[in-house]
mmCIF file of all heavy atoms in Angstrom:
data_model
loop_
_atom_site.group_PDB
_atom_site.id
_atom_site.type_symbol
_atom_site.label_atom_id
_atom_site.label_comp_id
_atom_site.label_asym_id
_atom_site.label_seq_id
_atom_site.Cartn_x
_atom_site.Cartn_y
_atom_site.Cartn_z
ATOM 1 N N ILE P 76 111.410 118.942 100.135
ATOM 2 C CA ILE P 76 112.083 117.789 99.539
ATOM 3 C C ILE P 76 112.822 118.307 98.315
ATOM 4 O O ILE P 76 112.221 118.956 97.448
ATOM 5 C CB ILE P 76 111.083 116.697 99.108
ATOM 6 C CG1 ILE P 76 110.193 116.286 100.277
ATOM 7 C CG2 ILE P 76 111.834 115.480 98.557
ATOM 8 C CD1 ILE P 76 109.064 115.340 99.883
ATOM 9 N N SER P 77 114.107 118.040 98.257
ATOM 10 C CA SER P 77 114.873 118.527 97.103
ATOM 11 C C SER P 77 115.062 117.398 96.091
ATOM 12 O O SER P 77 115.132 116.225 96.448
ATOM 13 C CB SER P 77 116.241 119.054 97.546
ATOM 14 O OG SER P 77 116.997 118.020 98.133
ATOM 15 N N ALA P 78 115.095 117.783 94.817
ATOM 16 C CA ALA P 78 115.357 116.839 93.723
ATOM 17 C C ALA P 78 114.503 115.580 93.857
ATOM 18 O O ALA P 78 115.035 114.479 94.054
ATOM 19 C CB ALA P 78 116.841 116.492 93.683
ATOM 20 N N SER P 79 113.201 115.740 93.760
ATOM 21 C CA SER P 79 112.274 114.623 94.003
ATOM 22 C C SER P 79 112.547 113.446 93.073
ATOM 23 O O SER P 79 112.987 113.606 91.932
ATOM 24 C CB SER P 79 110.840 115.100 93.824
ATOM 25 O OG SER P 79 110.661 115.623 92.526
ATOM 26 N N ILE P 80 112.255 112.258 93.602
ATOM 27 C CA ILE P 80 112.395 111.009 92.853
ATOM 28 C C ILE P 80 111.095 110.224 92.966
ATOM 29 O O ILE P 80 110.276 110.527 93.848
ATOM 30 C CB ILE P 80 113.590 110.177 93.372
ATOM 31 C CG1 ILE P 80 113.405 109.828 94.848
ATOM 32 C CG2 ILE P 80 114.901 110.908 93.140
ATOM 33 C CD1 ILE P 80 114.516 108.970 95.432
ATOM 34 N N PRO P 81 110.868 109.244 92.105
ATOM 35 C CA PRO P 81 109.589 108.519 92.120
ATOM 36 C C PRO P 81 109.226 107.925 93.484
ATOM 37 O O PRO P 81 108.047 107.880 93.851
ATOM 38 C CB PRO P 81 109.789 107.427 91.062
ATOM 39 C CG PRO P 81 110.732 108.050 90.091
ATOM 40 C CD PRO P 81 111.678 108.870 90.925
ATOM 41 N N SER P 82 110.194 107.479 94.251
ATOM 42 C CA SER P 82 109.868 106.854 95.543
ATOM 43 C C SER P 82 109.452 107.873 96.602
ATOM 44 O O SER P 82 109.082 107.487 97.718
ATOM 45 C CB SER P 82 111.051 106.032 96.061
ATOM 46 O OG SER P 82 112.172 106.861 96.271
ATOM 47 N N ASP P 83 109.460 109.151 96.269
ATOM 48 C CA ASP P 83 108.943 110.167 97.202
ATOM 49 C C ASP P 83 107.420 110.187 97.204
ATOM 50 O O ASP P 83 106.801 110.839 98.042
ATOM 51 C CB ASP P 83 109.457 111.561 96.834
ATOM 52 C CG ASP P 83 110.943 111.731 97.075
ATOM 53 O OD1 ASP P 83 111.486 111.019 97.966
ATOM 54 O OD2 ASP P 83 111.574 112.543 96.385
ATOM 55 N N VAL P 84 106.798 109.473 96.291
ATOM 56 C CA VAL P 84 105.337 109.409 96.217
ATOM 57 C C VAL P 84 104.772 108.885 97.534
ATOM 58 O O VAL P 84 105.290 107.927 98.109
ATOM 59 C CB VAL P 84 104.908 108.483 95.053
ATOM 60 C CG1 VAL P 84 103.454 108.069 95.192
ATOM 61 C CG2 VAL P 84 105.153 109.162 93.725
ATOM 62 N N GLY P 85 103.706 109.517 97.995
ATOM 63 C CA GLY P 85 103.062 109.065 99.226
ATOM 64 C C GLY P 85 102.310 110.204 99.870
ATOM 65 O O GLY P 85 102.119 111.263 99.269
ATOM 66 N N ILE P 86 101.875 109.975 101.080
ATOM 67 C CA ILE P 86 101.174 111.009 101.846
ATOM 68 C C ILE P 86 102.088 111.463 102.979
ATOM 69 O O ILE P 86 102.629 110.628 103.727
ATOM 70 C CB ILE P 86 99.844 110.491 102.426
ATOM 71 C CG1 ILE P 86 98.966 109.919 101.319
ATOM 72 C CG2 ILE P 86 99.114 111.630 103.137
ATOM 73 C CD1 ILE P 86 97.683 109.274 101.841
ATOM 74 N N TYR P 87 102.252 112.761 103.087
ATOM 75 C CA TYR P 87 103.101 113.335 104.131
ATOM 76 C C TYR P 87 102.207 113.943 105.209
ATOM 77 O O TYR P 87 101.363 114.799 104.924
ATOM 78 C CB TYR P 87 104.033 114.389 103.530
ATOM 79 C CG TYR P 87 105.085 113.760 102.641
ATOM 80 C CD1 TYR P 87 104.768 113.399 101.323
ATOM 81 C CD2 TYR P 87 106.365 113.492 103.111
ATOM 82 C CE1 TYR P 87 105.712 112.792 100.505
ATOM 83 C CE2 TYR P 87 107.315 112.893 102.298
ATOM 84 C CZ TYR P 87 106.978 112.535 101.002
ATOM 85 O OH TYR P 87 107.921 111.938 100.192
ATOM 86 N N PHE P 88 102.388 113.468 106.429
ATOM 87 C CA PHE P 88 101.596 113.944 107.561
ATOM 88 C C PHE P 88 102.474 114.759 108.499
ATOM 89 O O PHE P 88 103.606 114.363 108.795
ATOM 90 C CB PHE P 88 101.027 112.779 108.382
ATOM 91 C CG PHE P 88 99.968 111.989 107.684
ATOM 92 C CD1 PHE P 88 100.267 110.788 107.066
ATOM 93 C CD2 PHE P 88 98.647 112.436 107.660
ATOM 94 C CE1 PHE P 88 99.288 110.052 106.435
ATOM 95 C CE2 PHE P 88 97.661 111.698 107.029
ATOM 96 C CZ PHE P 88 97.980 110.504 106.405
ATOM 97 N N CYS P 89 101.916 115.848 108.996
ATOM 98 C CA CYS P 89 102.546 116.509 110.129
ATOM 99 C C CYS P 89 101.781 116.107 111.382
ATOM 100 O O CYS P 89 100.604 115.725 111.311
ATOM 101 C CB CYS P 89 102.532 118.019 109.971
ATOM 102 S SG CYS P 89 100.893 118.761 109.943
ATOM 103 N N ALA P 90 102.441 116.152 112.504
ATOM 104 C CA ALA P 90 101.810 115.883 113.792
ATOM 105 C C ALA P 90 102.392 116.874 114.794
ATOM 106 O O ALA P 90 103.604 117.096 114.806
ATOM 107 C CB ALA P 90 102.051 114.437 114.235
ATOM 108 N N GLY P 91 101.526 117.453 115.610
ATOM 109 C CA GLY P 91 101.989 118.437 116.579
ATOM 110 C C GLY P 91 101.600 118.039 117.988
ATOM 111 O O GLY P 91 100.549 117.422 118.208
ATOM 112 N N GLN P 92 102.468 118.404 118.921
ATOM 113 C CA GLN P 92 102.204 118.157 120.341
ATOM 114 C C GLN P 92 102.118 119.508 121.041
ATOM 115 O O GLN P 92 103.060 120.296 120.992
ATOM 116 C CB GLN P 92 103.324 117.308 120.936
ATOM 117 C CG GLN P 92 103.099 116.894 122.383
ATOM 118 C CD GLN P 92 104.299 116.148 122.960
ATOM 119 O OE1 GLN P 92 105.434 116.575 122.812
ATOM 120 N NE2 GLN P 92 104.040 115.029 123.612
ATOM 121 N N LEU P 93 100.974 119.756 121.708
ATOM 122 C CA LEU P 93 100.760 121.057 122.321
ATOM 123 C C LEU P 93 101.715 121.294 123.483
ATOM 124 O O LEU P 93 102.264 122.375 123.648
ATOM 125 C CB LEU P 93 99.311 121.181 122.794
ATOM 126 C CG LEU P 93 98.280 121.427 121.699
ATOM 127 C CD1 LEU P 93 96.880 121.207 122.241
ATOM 128 C CD2 LEU P 93 98.424 122.833 121.147
ATOM 129 N N SER P 94 101.862 120.289 124.308
ATOM 130 C CA SER P 94 102.787 120.407 125.429
ATOM 131 C C SER P 94 103.252 119.006 125.797
ATOM 132 O O SER P 94 102.622 118.013 125.433
ATOM 133 C CB SER P 94 102.127 121.093 126.623
ATOM 134 O OG SER P 94 101.006 120.358 127.055
ATOM 135 N N GLU P 95 104.371 118.959 126.517
ATOM 136 C CA GLU P 95 104.957 117.660 126.877
ATOM 137 C C GLU P 95 103.938 116.816 127.642
ATOM 138 O O GLU P 95 103.232 117.305 128.518
ATOM 139 C CB GLU P 95 106.188 117.885 127.747
ATOM 140 C CG GLU P 95 107.027 116.635 127.912
ATOM 141 C CD GLU P 95 108.332 116.927 128.626
ATOM 142 O OE1 GLU P 95 108.807 118.082 128.539
ATOM 143 O OE2 GLU P 95 108.862 116.014 129.268
ATOM 144 N N GLY P 96 103.850 115.572 127.249
ATOM 145 C CA GLY P 96 102.932 114.666 127.921
ATOM 146 C C GLY P 96 101.596 114.531 127.215
ATOM 147 O O GLY P 96 100.827 113.619 127.511
ATOM 148 N N GLN P 97 101.323 115.435 126.290
ATOM 149 C CA GLN P 97 100.066 115.334 125.540
ATOM 150 C C GLN P 97 100.272 114.500 124.286
ATOM 151 O O GLN P 97 101.378 114.398 123.762
ATOM 152 C CB GLN P 97 99.577 116.726 125.158
ATOM 153 C CG GLN P 97 99.076 117.528 126.337
ATOM 154 C CD GLN P 97 98.126 118.617 125.903
ATOM 155 O OE1 GLN P 97 98.499 119.470 125.106
ATOM 156 N NE2 GLN P 97 96.906 118.572 126.393
ATOM 157 N N ASN P 98 99.166 113.924 123.794
ATOM 158 C CA ASN P 98 99.249 113.155 122.567
ATOM 159 C C ASN P 98 99.425 114.075 121.367
ATOM 160 O O ASN P 98 99.060 115.248 121.392
ATOM 161 C CB ASN P 98 97.991 112.321 122.374
ATOM 162 C CG ASN P 98 97.990 111.095 123.254
ATOM 163 O OD1 ASN P 98 99.031 110.514 123.522
ATOM 164 N ND2 ASN P 98 96.821 110.715 123.722
ATOM 165 N N PHE P 99 99.967 113.499 120.296
ATOM 166 C CA PHE P 99 100.146 114.248 119.064
ATOM 167 C C PHE P 99 98.836 114.321 118.295
ATOM 168 O O PHE P 99 98.064 113.361 118.250
ATOM 169 C CB PHE P 99 101.222 113.588 118.199
ATOM 170 C CG PHE P 99 102.620 113.884 118.667
ATOM 171 C CD1 PHE P 99 103.212 113.108 119.653
ATOM 172 C CD2 PHE P 99 103.336 114.939 118.135
ATOM 173 C CE1 PHE P 99 104.503 113.387 120.098
ATOM 174 C CE2 PHE P 99 104.622 115.226 118.567
ATOM 175 C CZ PHE P 99 105.202 114.446 119.560
ATOM 176 N N VAL P 100 98.610 115.451 117.660
ATOM 177 C CA VAL P 100 97.481 115.653 116.761
ATOM 178 C C VAL P 100 98.023 115.567 115.344
ATOM 179 O O VAL P 100 99.045 116.175 115.033
ATOM 180 C CB VAL P 100 96.848 117.040 116.994
ATOM 181 C CG1 VAL P 100 95.732 117.291 115.988
ATOM 182 C CG2 VAL P 100 96.342 117.161 118.418
ATOM 183 N N PHE P 101 97.333 114.821 114.471
ATOM 184 C CA PHE P 101 97.791 114.647 113.094
ATOM 185 C C PHE P 101 97.042 115.571 112.140
ATOM 186 O O PHE P 101 95.839 115.801 112.290
ATOM 187 C CB PHE P 101 97.584 113.194 112.646
ATOM 188 C CG PHE P 101 98.665 112.273 113.129
ATOM 189 C CD1 PHE P 101 98.642 111.771 114.421
ATOM 190 C CD2 PHE P 101 99.715 111.914 112.296
ATOM 191 C CE1 PHE P 101 99.642 110.929 114.886
ATOM 192 C CE2 PHE P 101 100.718 111.068 112.735
ATOM 193 C CZ PHE P 101 100.677 110.588 114.036
ATOM 194 N N GLY P 102 97.770 116.072 111.153
ATOM 195 C CA GLY P 102 97.143 116.815 110.074
ATOM 196 C C GLY P 102 96.512 115.866 109.071
ATOM 197 O O GLY P 102 96.708 114.651 109.147
ATOM 198 N N PRO P 103 95.757 116.403 108.098
ATOM 199 C CA PRO P 103 95.062 115.561 107.115
ATOM 200 C C PRO P 103 95.976 115.011 106.034
ATOM 201 O O PRO P 103 95.571 114.127 105.271
ATOM 202 C CB PRO P 103 94.020 116.503 106.517
ATOM 203 C CG PRO P 103 94.610 117.865 106.703
ATOM 204 C CD PRO P 103 95.399 117.818 107.971
ATOM 205 N N GLY P 104 97.202 115.512 105.944
ATOM 206 C CA GLY P 104 98.157 114.968 104.984
ATOM 207 C C GLY P 104 98.237 115.752 103.686
ATOM 208 O O GLY P 104 97.288 116.433 103.281
ATOM 209 N N THR P 105 99.390 115.668 103.060
ATOM 210 C CA THR P 105 99.612 116.187 101.703
ATOM 211 C C THR P 105 99.980 114.994 100.839
ATOM 212 O O THR P 105 100.945 114.278 101.130
ATOM 213 C CB THR P 105 100.755 117.219 101.667
ATOM 214 O OG1 THR P 105 100.351 118.404 102.333
ATOM 215 C CG2 THR P 105 101.145 117.553 100.232
ATOM 216 N N ARG P 106 99.214 114.778 99.778
ATOM 217 C CA ARG P 106 99.455 113.644 98.880
ATOM 218 C C ARG P 106 100.361 114.097 97.746
ATOM 219 O O ARG P 106 100.011 115.010 96.997
ATOM 220 C CB ARG P 106 98.121 113.127 98.329
ATOM 221 C CG ARG P 106 98.237 111.862 97.497
ATOM 222 C CD ARG P 106 96.855 111.437 97.007
ATOM 223 N NE ARG P 106 95.991 111.045 98.109
ATOM 224 C CZ ARG P 106 95.898 109.821 98.614
ATOM 225 N NH1 ARG P 106 96.623 108.852 98.091
ATOM 226 N NH2 ARG P 106 95.070 109.559 99.599
#
Side-chain angles (χ1 to χ4, degrees):
Chain P
I76 305 173
S77 62
S79 58
I80 60 178
S82 61
D83 291 333
V84 163
I86 305 175
Y87 290 81
F88 291 99
C89 64
Q92 185 185 47
L93 284 167
S94 60
E95 193 173 333
Q97 289 203 302
N98 283 326
F99 282 86
V100 176
F101 279 81
T105 291
R106 186 180 294 271

